[in-house]
Amino acid sequence: MKDMNANNKIIGAKGEEEVCKYLIRKGYTIIDRNFRCKQGEIDIIASKLNELIFIEVKTRRNIQFGYPCEAVGKTKQKHILNVAKYYMWRNNIIENYNIRFDVIEVYYSNNYYINHIQNCF
């Protein structure tokens, strides 16, 4: 089980790397990655135009246990929202941004396939 968890972490980290490359190609600026506080973690914080986007990345090899976005339920959404509020407070972000929450699914077999779901919640 330990080897499988380590392997999942490696695949997850590679999925996040691929998402960052994808976002940069699409004109986003990566502001922060793996921002953690006591409320939880946000995988990627990015901006584009006047939007501040908090992004949860879910990487899967298959859909045997459901689609990746299904892992971002109400409890996870609440944690992400609380982390976003803390991030904005800590960085004194009060205005000039529209806030958006995205989920990016990454499917990995031999290549990476990215499904970007904007305004997820």
Side-chain angles (χ1 to χ4, degrees):
M1 188 69 159
K2 188 176 181 181
D3 289 339
M4 194 156 108
N5 285 337
N7 196 28
N8 287 343
K9 285 186 185 279
I10 291 167
I11 289 175
K14 290 185 89 50
E16 284 185 25
E17 273 302 313
E18 292 300 316
V19 166
C20 285
K21 291 176 192 175
Y22 160 84
L23 291 169
I24 291 167
R25 282 193 310 270
K26 296 289 186 179
Y28 291 78
T29 300
I30 306 300
I31 297 172
D32 209 340
R33 292 183 62 185
N34 303 113
F35 176 79
R36 288 181 175 86
C37 64
K38 68 179 182 177
Q39 288 84 2
E41 176 193 9
I42 293 179
D43 294 325
I44 299 171
I45 302 169
S47 66
K48 186 173 183 182
L49 302 174
N50 70 331
E51 286 190 302
L52 184 63
I53 304 115
F54 296 93
I55 303 166
E56 178 71 11
V57 178
K58 291 294 182 188
T59 304
R60 300 287 187 270
R61 287 187 215 136
N62 58 54
I63 58 170
Q64 179 179 355
F65 299 107
Y67 292 100
C69 67
E70 293 173 339
V72 187
K74 294 293 182 192
T75 302
K76 182 69 172 174
Q77 290 174 20
K78 183 178 177 183
H79 287 287
I80 293 169
L81 182 60
N82 288 333
V83 176
K85 287 178 186 177
Y86 176 77
Y87 180 87
M88 292 171 59
W89 171 81
R90 181 175 171 206
N91 291 287
N92 200 27
I93 299 171
I94 300 170
E95 54 188 50
N96 298 331
Y97 281 106
N98 292 317
I99 307 302
R100 194 173 87 202
F101 296 92
D102 293 0
V103 172
I104 299 183
E105 299 176 318
V106 180
Y107 297 92
Y108 171 75
S109 56
N110 292 328
N111 292 312
Y112 290 91
Y113 170 76
I114 293 173
N115 182 33
H116 188 172
I117 306 165
Q118 297 182 9
N119 289 314
C120 232
F121 57 94

